[in-house]
Amino acid sequence: MAGYPAGEPYERGLLDVGDGHRVSWTVSGNPAGKPVVVVHGGPGGRATPHWRSYLDPARYRVVQFDQRGCGLSTPSASEDVVDLSANTTAHLVADVEQLREHLGVQRWMVLGASWGSTLGLAYAQVHPQRVSEVVLFAVATTTRREIEWITRDMGRVFPREWEAFRDAVPAAEREGNLPAAYSRLLRSPDPEVRQRAAAAWCAWEDVHVSLAPGHRPDPRYADPAFRLAFARLVTHYWAHDGFLADLLPDGSLLAGAHRLAGVPAVLVHGRLDVSSPLDTAWQLHRAWPGSRLVVLEGDGHGGAGFTEHVVAATDRFARTPG
């Protein structure tokens, strides 16, 4: 299933969210349709037209935004001198809520994947009264265990590539917090140090995403500016366990799943996803009354099977009141 045509936005802007940040946003689809906010991955990805293919433009009012520091939001994390102190999950959750108020939305559906599932869940748990339904795929909750799995344990699956990833940081830091070590290198005053670290980080990102046949490298990593912004943001967040403990009333997204008992949800996950193993989605589903888990046998952290099942979920929720 190819999904829906990705129509052009009819409204766009830059929202001043404070701390010197302006968040880029667009609205597409039906102005009178059911509101949905799309939460992109990363941290450090960006909103793209492909996300709109999961949503019927005749029935949804589709809101997309670039998170702080990436995409068309300003300032960019790729800038030579960038301060990330006001770039945490609490800030991003507040940005989503400020965008909702700016657009006059009462409640909306949340659609997210990968890091977007973490941020979407965090928003939903902090503001459950503002969420009508949730659709997540390639589910991640950004726990310390998940971060250690990606940055250390996956070395058992890709030992040669992981050694290159580990050895890109100084020897004294190789047994510690690897995202923190990379984050320090990515803040170096030496541009060559920054770019080497960004290239090494993104090379590992391309390796660990999937065991699914036909997986191809992400072309975005060929862009040095994107590579630097992405690596800076993801290492900043992962070095601090996603900044989740102080934000969430229950300390973690899994512990707080009970707060979403009245919110219908569909979780779509690939069994071959070695970046975010299936047990994360399974545990979230078990803790979330009213959620439905769809397991795709032949897909990884993405794949051809996702579109059909994500579209089926959004089509079903389009028929229910917002």
Side-chain angles (χ1 to χ4, degrees):
M1 183 175 182
Y4 290 101
E8 288 299 310
Y10 58 80
E11 190 177 0
R12 65 181 68 240
L14 279 171
L15 179 64
D16 186 343
V17 292
D19 309 305
H21 286 270
R22 303 175 76 196
V23 167
S24 174
W25 58 270
T26 65
V27 184
S28 58
N30 182 353
K34 181 172 185 171
V36 54
V37 61
V38 177
V39 190
H40 68 69
R46 63 169 301 176
T48 62
H50 176 73
W51 283 94
R52 300 196 283 274
S53 68
Y54 298 117
L55 298 152
D56 184 345
R59 295 194 284 184
Y60 279 104
R61 179 188 179 194
V62 182
V63 178
Q64 294 180 266
F65 70 100
D66 291 329
Q67 295 159 29
R68 292 190 183 202
C70 57
L72 298 178
S73 294
T74 62
S76 171
S78 66
E79 295 180 8
D80 283 348
V81 180
V82 62
D83 179 10
L84 298 181
S85 61
N87 200 323
T88 70
T89 306
H91 289 99
L92 301 186
V93 166
D95 293 348
V96 177
E97 183 62 0
Q98 193 168 337
L99 181 58
R100 181 194 64 77
E101 293 174 348
H102 176 74
L103 296 175
V105 173
Q106 292 301 309
R107 293 205 311 164
W108 49 11
M109 186 173 80
V110 173
L111 171 65
S114 193
W115 160 254
S117 62
T118 293
L119 180 54
L121 281 168
Y123 174 78
Q125 290 188 16
V126 174
H127 300 284
Q129 73 280 10
R130 299 302 182 186
V131 177
S132 55
E133 302 93 6
V134 175
V135 177
L136 305 176
F137 55 103
V139 179
T141 59
T142 316
T143 60
R144 169 50 44 185
R145 180 186 180 208
E146 290 168 73
I147 294 166
E148 286 288 310
W149 171 270
I150 292 173
T151 59
R152 287 204 176 274
D153 297 344
M154 281 302 298
R156 299 182 65 184
V157 182
F158 300 104
R160 176 171 56 86
E161 295 86 350
W162 181 80
E163 285 188 7
F165 167 70
R166 178 201 59 191
D167 292 351
V169 306
E173 298 177 84
R174 291 174 189 169
E175 299 305 316
N177 184 322
L178 285 174
Y182 268 95
S183 183
R184 184 187 62 76
L185 294 173
L186 290 159
R187 296 193 306 272
S188 169
D190 185 338
E192 290 189 10
V193 171
R194 298 196 301 264
Q195 284 297 341
R196 282 199 303 270
W201 182 274
C202 291
W204 177 242
E205 289 274 357
D206 250 344
V207 166
H208 70 67
V209 167
S210 180
L211 290 175
H215 171 70
R216 295 181 179 181
D218 190 328
R220 299 177 301 172
Y221 298 146
D223 176 359
F226 175 86
R227 202 164 58 214
L228 181 57
F230 178 89
R232 273 180 168 165
L233 286 167
V234 71
T235 58
H236 170 65
Y237 275 78
W238 285 9
H240 297 91
D241 299 345
F243 297 99
L244 291 169
D246 294 335
L247 168 67
L248 300 171
D250 301 279
S252 74
L253 292 167
L254 183 61
H258 66 94
R259 296 181 180 275
L260 302 177
V263 180
V266 174
L267 314 175
V268 183
H269 206 89
R271 189 177 297 282
L272 300 182
D273 187 343
V274 288
S275 181
S276 299
L278 178 58
D279 67 334
T280 297
W282 172 253
Q283 290 166 11
L284 180 64
H285 163 60
R286 292 288 300 270
W288 187 344
S291 68
R292 176 172 174 256
L293 175 62
V294 178
V295 178
L296 307 182
E297 296 295 335
D299 287 311
H301 201 66
F306 277 84
T307 299
E308 175 185 355
H309 293 280
V310 174
V311 167
T314 62
D315 279 355
R316 178 162 65 88
F317 288 144
R319 296 189 291 269
T320 62

